[in-house]
Amino acid sequence: MSAVEDFLAYLAVERQMSPHTLDAYRRDLTAVAAWAADKGHGDIATLHTEQLRGFAADEHRRQQSPKSIQRRLSACRSFYTWLLKHGRIAANPAASIRAPKAPRKLPQVLDPDEAKALVEVPTDAPLGLRDRALLELFYSSGLRLSELCALRWHDLDLEDALVTVIGKGRKQRSVPLGSHARNALHEWRAFTGATNDSHVFPGRNGAITPRAIQLRVRQLAQQQGLFKRVHPHLLRHSFASHILESSGDLRGVQELLGHADIATTQIYTHLDYQHLAKVYDAAHPRAKRKK
């Protein structure tokens, strides 16, 4: 078995990474290995720093996006860190290599009125109770799509208004439930008569699929008169932005979202600044900018 296959097996078994994440690591490391073979550099495990810099430069010349180059170098850093830990190499050749900076794209968010219009779907429609509970939970607790799909009733404490999920890296976190989400979940459970081990949102073969939720959220947004691109992660972005805008507590938002690195959460400070800048431009008599 090659070093790359050993590493992927480690990620699958010991780190318990998702198939999607494993596929991404495999694609990126395979691309580097193919480049090394094409250049006559031998096995990916024996590359040194200057060769990896050459790889990044070649990717840039091929007009690969900075984000793609960053991702591939990140996969290399993790791979070589694992090799170093197991005594297969003497130093991490990717440790000091930096990819071109990618322009930071700010996520779109719903404003509070749009979020309210979306989650307040009619409960008298077929599956209306389920849709209301699903949307309220997304917006109330900022869950990832995968976390919501995997949720079972024993993960919810409706009495103390908490939901406990297993996030990225198998890290557990508990997030508060808003009163509207708790009430919607109470009604949905009473309707289904589900047991503690049942999935909160069941599908045909166990849990509801991410694709089914994506399609349903898009459909419900159109029904509620929101004609922008609405998807489950937009509700997570909106949750984070609205909490930060009201509280100013970046660390708290980091904990609620389950981000390992606060730099990931800091993007929402830019969103908050954009909002303040718009308010300033609209309100201050000497803030009007010439177009």
Side-chain angles (χ1 to χ4, degrees), residues 22-72:
L22 290 172
D23 285 345
Y25 269 100
R26 183 183 298 277
R27 283 195 305 272
D28 290 333
L29 292 173
T30 298
V32 179
W35 174 88
D38 185 62
K39 294 288 184 180
H41 293 323
D43 189 83
I44 183 176
T46 64
L47 293 178
H48 55 68
T49 299
E50 287 309 311
Q51 289 170 333
L52 285 171
R53 283 204 177 97
F55 167 75
D58 281 353
E59 291 286 279
H60 188 61
R61 278 192 287 271
R62 289 177 54 233
Q63 298 187 329
Q64 288 290 321
S65 70
K67 190 172 182 180
S68 294
I69 302 172
Q70 287 176 354
R71 192 190 64 244
R72 287 183 172 173

Side-chain angles (χ1 to χ4, degrees), residues 98-166:
R98 296 292 175 263
K101 276 196 172 181
R104 196 151 202 188
K105 186 178 179 182
L106 297 181
Q108 296 295 309
V109 297
L110 298 171
D111 66 38
D113 289 338
E114 289 174 326
K116 182 174 183 289
L118 175 61
V119 301
E120 291 186 350
V121 295
T123 55
D124 54 353
L127 286 181
L129 290 174
R130 184 206 66 176
D131 293 339
R132 183 69 170 268
L134 187 149
L135 291 170
E136 289 279 13
L137 180 55
F138 258 136
Y139 181 51
S140 166
S141 302
L143 302 186
R144 296 180 178 94
L145 178 57
S146 59
E147 294 167 350
L148 186 133
C149 288
L151 206 63
R152 296 178 187 265
W153 283 108
H154 60 64
D155 300 318
L156 287 160
D157 185 341
L158 297 182
E159 188 67 31
D160 288 336
L162 284 174
V163 54
T164 301
V165 295
I166 305 296

